[in-house]
């Protein structure tokens, strides 16, 4: 097979014609046949300017074609960079979207806006693309809503391939932050038998065709898709002082809003031997800064595409966010701010009410349009694991949310109740002491003060790019009534 | 809250007594109360020797207690390293498994086997551990099968915390390999509507309590847990020359064997503009070597624990594996080798049969007990997407498996059928042309020769550590009749 393909391709080049089954592999622009084997480069290497004068070969998809009197100018992209490599060829028949292999010489470009250009000796059309059927058109800037209709083709647009590089870089940046700060990565499970956390609607999991008994569960117990890796991270907090997880989580929310997905990514961390909620806000803020600085530095052009064409002006918002330390206010202070405001809110703002998106947005604006921590929420609003502050008359739990411009709640976290008797009482009140006997065990054997938080990764991307719809920052969005591919 | 906790802890230290609810926080071994704020160190920092003479504080769980005439010697662990920090204290009541905070001075150790030891001024018991109820006992080496019974506590053993650090490091190493080689990471979806790949039994996903109609699907179509991210990676291969994914995949296999899990991790990569199967074997071999060398270098002590106590002698197997390039044989050659062997096999070995584990193990041994690639499998054995070699009389597909010592199949991959007409014909024969019209579209618009592979991450860990049971290399194993926590 290998020999066959190599032979075939060599033959195709020698003969300057090629046809394999329904594809016609056409070779255009042959100036001379070069015996010297060209160096294969990715586009990101080619545009760097380090290989000037070299005989090279690049491969990719045609993103623009501009015929001029004598020459044909084209831009080819292989996903490694947004920066275009201008290719100069004698004229030929090339369409937007087709895949090509270009051999030629890297030369200094006479134009200001680019360092190098590739003078093509040979262009081999590897895969055709019928411009009539292809949903993206040459020289048109399609908006995110339009390209979202074609999940199997949208990575061929500049905007979405930039998004995917940014998402990949942000993932790397978050892993790097945790690694450099001594966190051990834990693959918390996707399928879980925990069903009582009350974090939202659950998806249940069963084999497509149960083998014997329709009523018997595959796992012997009902099993669900995880809504959070927190409890499993807490297991690890009994042996590791710093752990984190970064993976998919699920909510069966019947919503098609621009804020919700049925499958989304969360970054969750858990820190042992905490002394106060500041041990958590420090990690949240440091991670946010570190990841954002990495993305801005390593994906400058990709980010600029969004900040120029998709969400003009957003770069200023991002720079502004990173200037100052994030302020910290208590929930009680937040309620005071809302009640002193002249703005009319749709939802109530008395002490004890949950903060709604409208409230979160107001608080962010009030604090100068930068991320703001809100701490010490009413005890009754928080789940059983939140640490009791044992204060009064306003009874609060040591919980914290990070609110950010445009998005609202980006992170939520808390110190966890590490005291066996308080936790047991609360679980007994909820009738959950048997279900969570393993969780109580964690407090029986070498319990330590600890706490953690979760960050919604798609919301993070929306926050730094200014993208309005969450479906535009994930490769394959899943939501109510939609599971394409 | 923050102030309260800090105040409380300071008070506790000053008074040398502490009791918070049912926990008694006891302070042992006070020599003097030091006003100077000690430097907080993780154990990995403390044992490095760079802070000799410093007044420090460490926190962790007691892993051994050895009372001697005058002094108490204890080892404390915080998950950051397997290396023990010996702590010398005047005697006190400390049990295996309890959580402590130790303040004292780092001194050069008089003993050969360690660089530093910590002379304790103060030991605060943060969380008690009743040695009667705690399932792990001091000075006992519990085997993996025993500790597996306590999924919520097993990270508190040396063996399993070493495993988790190795798993975290191997994850980082794999991401690093791909990043350094220009691959973009894609989060392929967990929930998918693809159901026809035939890769094994599927799990179906539905909300726990369907809101309106019991018969209506949440996603409007039946939805399943992914068995592979390949097809979604292939989508991205139309715009990126190199992509990969690393995440959980699922099989509803009714097996409790030591080789199978219902939820396991796969590393999958897809390369565009391939010329032959060697473009894939190179990535597989390079990734295997790069990750393994990283793990051996960065987790030397953790790996040594396995190679000394769990699987004695396995280090030689690993070193031997890395010495030579991995040999490549065709399926046809493999069948010849099996048929020439004097070994009796339970399963048939004529041309056209699938290779069974017994065959794979024999082939690995035959090739010198190192990883071996087997290529060009019978066309009929492979799924619709495998590239037709168009050879005869023995009709094969351009597929490749990597077989490794002890485990058998570690990776499986293939060149993908990029030719529209061949792919369409095969899908039509299977009646799948409508289901996969989006997949055919990928070949309609700028199709390129491409291929990829998947690696079973747990099997990889088993291979380098020599661990026999797959349940011992994943934090929370899920399999038929078991979904604990």
């Amino acid at each position: 097979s290998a020999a066959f393909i190599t032979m075939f391709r060599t033959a195709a080049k020698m003969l300057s014609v090629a046809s394999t089954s329904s594809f016609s592999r056409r070779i255009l622009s042959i100036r001379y046949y070069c015996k010297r084997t060209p160096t294969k480069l990715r586009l990101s290497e080619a545009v760097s300017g380090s290989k000037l004068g070299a005989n090279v070969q690049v491969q990719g998809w045609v993103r623009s074609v501009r015929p001029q009197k004598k020459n044909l100018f084209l831009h080819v992209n292989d996903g490694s960079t947004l920066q275009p490599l201008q290719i100069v060829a004698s004229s030929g028949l090339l369409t937007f979207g087709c895949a090509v292999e270009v051999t030629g010489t890297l030369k200094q470009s006479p134009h200001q806006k680019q360092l190098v250009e590739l003078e093509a000796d040979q262009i081999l059309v590897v895969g055709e693309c019928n411009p009539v059927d292809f949903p993206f058109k040459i020289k048109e800037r399609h908006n995110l809503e339009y390209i979202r209709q074609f999940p199997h083709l949208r990575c061929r647009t500049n905007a979405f391939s930039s998004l995917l590089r940014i998402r990949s870089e942000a993932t790397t940046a978050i892993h790097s932050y945790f690694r450099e700060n001594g966190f051990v990565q834990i693959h918390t499970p996707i399928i879980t038998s925990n069903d009582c956390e009350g974090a939202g609607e659950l998806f249940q999991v069963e084999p497509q065709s149960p083998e014997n008994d329709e009523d018997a569960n595959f796992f012997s117990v009902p099993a669900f898709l995880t809504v959070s890796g927190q409890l499993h991270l807490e297991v690890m907090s009994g042996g590791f002082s710093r752990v984190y997880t970064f993976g998919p989580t699920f909510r069966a929310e019947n919503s098609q809003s621009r804020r919700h997905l049925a499958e989304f990514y969360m970054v969750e961390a858990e820190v042992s031997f905490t002394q106060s909620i500041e041990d958590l806000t420090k990690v949240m803020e440091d991670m946010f800064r570190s990841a954002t600085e990495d993305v801005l530095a390593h994906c400058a052009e990709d980010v600029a595409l969004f900040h120029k064409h998709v969400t003009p002006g957003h770069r200023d918002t991002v720079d502004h966010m990173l200037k100052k330390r994030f302020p910290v206010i208590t929930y009680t202070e937040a309620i005071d701010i809302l009640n002193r405001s002249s703005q009319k809110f749709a939802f109530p703002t008395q002490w004890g009410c949950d903060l709604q998106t409208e409230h979160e947005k107001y608080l962010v604006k009030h604090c100068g349009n930068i991320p703001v921590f809100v701490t010490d929420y009413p005890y009754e609003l928080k789940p059983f694991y939140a640490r009791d502050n044992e204060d009064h008359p306003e009874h609060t739990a040591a919980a914290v949310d990070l609110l950010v411009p445009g998005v609202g709640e980006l992170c939520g976290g808390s110190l966890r109740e590490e005291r066996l008797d308080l936790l047991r009482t609360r679980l007994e009140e909820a009738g959950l002491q048997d279900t969570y006997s393993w969780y109580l065990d964690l407090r029986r054997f070498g319990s330590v003060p600890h706490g953690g938080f979760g960050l919604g990764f798609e919301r993070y991307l929306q926050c730094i790019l200014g993208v309005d719809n969450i479906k535009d920052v994930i490769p394959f969005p899943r939501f109510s009534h939609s599971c394409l591919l």
Side-chain angles (χ1 to χ4, degrees), chain A residues 65 75 88 92 130 146 173 177 185 195 207 216 282 297 355 375 381-382 428 433:
Chain A
V65 188
H75 284 162
V88 190
N130 183 333
Y146 177 77
Y177 168 80
Q185 186 183 1
D195 63 343
K282 184 177 183 332
L355 296 182
T375 68
L381 285 182
K382 292 293 165 186
E428 279 167 1
Q433 69 276 24

Side-chain angles (χ1 to χ4, degrees), chain A residues 372-446:
Chain A
V372 51
F373 290 108
V374 180
T375 68
D376 302 299
Y377 282 78
Y379 182 77
E380 295 303 330
L381 285 182
K382 292 293 165 186
F384 65 83
Y385 49 70
R387 194 177 200 275
D388 191 344
N389 278 332
E390 296 184 293
D391 48 356
H392 57 89
E394 285 157 345
H395 189 189
T396 63
V400 55
D401 281 357
L402 176 60
L403 314 179
V404 297
V407 168
E409 185 189 334
L410 177 67
C411 301
S414 76
L415 297 182
R416 319 306 187 186
E417 188 54 79
E418 88 281 9
R419 295 161 295 186
L420 179 62
D421 55 346
L422 273 80
L423 184 63
R424 186 164 39 203
T425 305
R426 194 152 197 204
L427 283 172
E428 279 167 1
E429 282 165 10
L432 294 174
Q433 69 276 24
D434 294 333
T435 313
Y436 285 109
S437 68
W438 64 268
Y439 188 72
L440 283 167
D441 264 2
L442 305 180
R443 277 68 178 170
R444 278 191 192 99
F445 305 115

Side-chain angles (χ1 to χ4, degrees), chain A residues 202-220:
Chain A
L202 291 169
F203 284 110
Q204 192 163 352
V205 174
E206 275 300 326
Q208 185 183 15
S209 37
E211 287 201 354
N212 308 311
D213 189 351
E214 285 274 335
D215 295 325
N217 294 120
F218 177 88
F219 293 108
S220 299

Side-chain angles (χ1 to χ4, degrees), chain A residues 52-118:
Chain A
L52 267 179
N55 179 236
V56 304
Q57 186 176 83
V58 298
Q59 300 167 310
W61 294 268
V62 174
R63 286 279 167 84
S64 85
V65 188
R66 199 156 44 88
Q68 292 210 336
K69 278 173 211 163
K70 270 184 168 178
N71 288 323
L72 184 76
F73 293 94
L74 59 145
H75 284 162
V76 169
N77 189 291
D78 68 354
S80 64
T81 176
L82 179 64
Q83 264 188 284
L85 173 65
Q86 170 139 297
I87 292 168
V88 190
S90 55
S91 58
L93 212 70
L94 276 169
T95 63
F96 178 64
C98 73
V100 293
E101 182 179 287
V102 184
T103 311
T105 309
L106 277 178
K107 299 204 164 161
Q108 196 160 3
S109 175
H111 301 282
Q112 281 260 313
K113 61 175 180 176
Q114 61 212 12
L115 198 61
V116 294
E117 59 184 32
L118 177 59

Side-chain angles (χ1 to χ4, degrees), chain A residues 305-322:
Chain A
L305 179 147
F306 278 86
H307 290 168
K308 263 185 208 156
H309 299 298
V310 183
T311 51
H314 194 72
R315 178 56 189 251
D316 292 342
T317 309
V318 174
D319 288 341
H320 181 67
M321 276 194 247
L322 295 173

